[in-house]
Amino acid sequence: MQRVTIKDIARLAGVSVTTVSRALNDAPEIHSETRDKVLRVCREQGYRANLLARSLSSSRSKLLGLVVPDMANPFHAALALNIELCAQEAGYQLMFCSSRREDGRLEDLFDFLYSQRVDGILLSSAGDGAYDLARRSMGKVPCILLGACAPEDSPLRANTVSTDNYAGGRM
């Protein structure tokens, strides 16, 4: 079974590939009748955009990676849900990964997400190795540590989101 391409849609709709691209991207310079015709052919043919090709041309995947220690933990499940909702609101999709607290798995997942060309990685309380991964990623892919702080003696800082338990206790 072959995938339907943008060229197939152009041929079937009797328009150029550029016109199909403009219709799919809701460009203002295309007539509404033409857009409707192209989108109808796309639906009929089961066309799905090639997100890999789009990310290569735009240098943006609109994909974020989230690594949590354990998806069965209610805290991490709720965290993942809320991050997903915020990501979708901003036009991103989320790729979930669970490190399961296994040695070496965090680094493997980080490498996997990096190879998938994600636009950013969020590491949730993933242990001591998380800080080093986040620090090493600087300049390559944005990385945020959730629920962890950078070591006090570290000259380099990673992006972190955490709570101040002492201040919370005083409050």
Side-chain angles (χ1 to χ4, degrees):
M1 188 163 104
Q2 278 192 311
R3 293 180 188 221
V4 179
T5 68
I6 195 169
K7 291 178 183 177
D8 297 327
I9 298 300
R11 182 178 44 77
L12 293 167
V15 298
S16 69
V17 170
T18 302
T19 300
V20 174
S21 177
R22 287 178 177 157
L24 292 172
N25 291 304
D26 203 24
E29 63 269 10
I30 188 170
H31 292 321
S32 62
E33 299 89 26
T34 305
R35 176 182 294 111
D36 292 344
K37 178 182 177 181
V38 168
L39 296 177
R40 180 179 45 76
V41 171
C42 287
R43 278 191 306 277
E44 290 170 356
Q45 298 300 313
Y47 173 78
R48 297 291 181 263
N50 184 335
L51 298 180
L52 179 59
R54 185 179 289 172
S55 72
L56 289 173
S57 67
S58 69
S59 297
R60 306 293 299 182
S61 65
K62 301 301 274 180
L63 182 64
L64 300 174
L66 171 63
V67 180
V68 297
D70 181 7
M71 282 300 289
N73 181 314
F75 172 80
H76 293 122
L79 177 71
L81 174 64
N82 285 289
I83 290 173
E84 181 181 34
L85 293 173
C86 290
Q88 286 176 343
E89 197 173 286
Y92 285 83
Q93 292 299 315
L94 202 59
M95 185 178 290
F96 297 100
C97 298
S98 177
S99 67
R100 298 188 302 267
R101 301 184 195 274
E102 293 176 9
D103 288 340
R105 182 151 169 84
L106 179 61
E107 190 159 355
D108 291 344
L109 290 172
F110 190 91
D111 291 343
F112 167 74
L113 292 170
Y114 184 73
S115 73
Q116 296 298 308
R117 302 180 61 85
V118 296
D119 291 337
I121 298 174
L122 298 102
L123 298 172
S124 175
S125 304
D128 297 334
Y131 174 74
D132 288 331
L133 284 172
R135 189 181 48 74
R136 286 194 332 234
S137 77
M138 286 182 188
K140 297 176 188 166
V141 61
C143 186
I144 298 174
L145 294 175
L146 303 173
C149 293
E152 292 286 330
D153 60 345
S154 174
L156 296 173
R157 296 286 179 214
N159 297 316
T160 62
V161 176
S162 61
T163 57
D164 184 340
N165 291 328
Y166 293 109
R170 284 191 302 272
M171 291 170 73

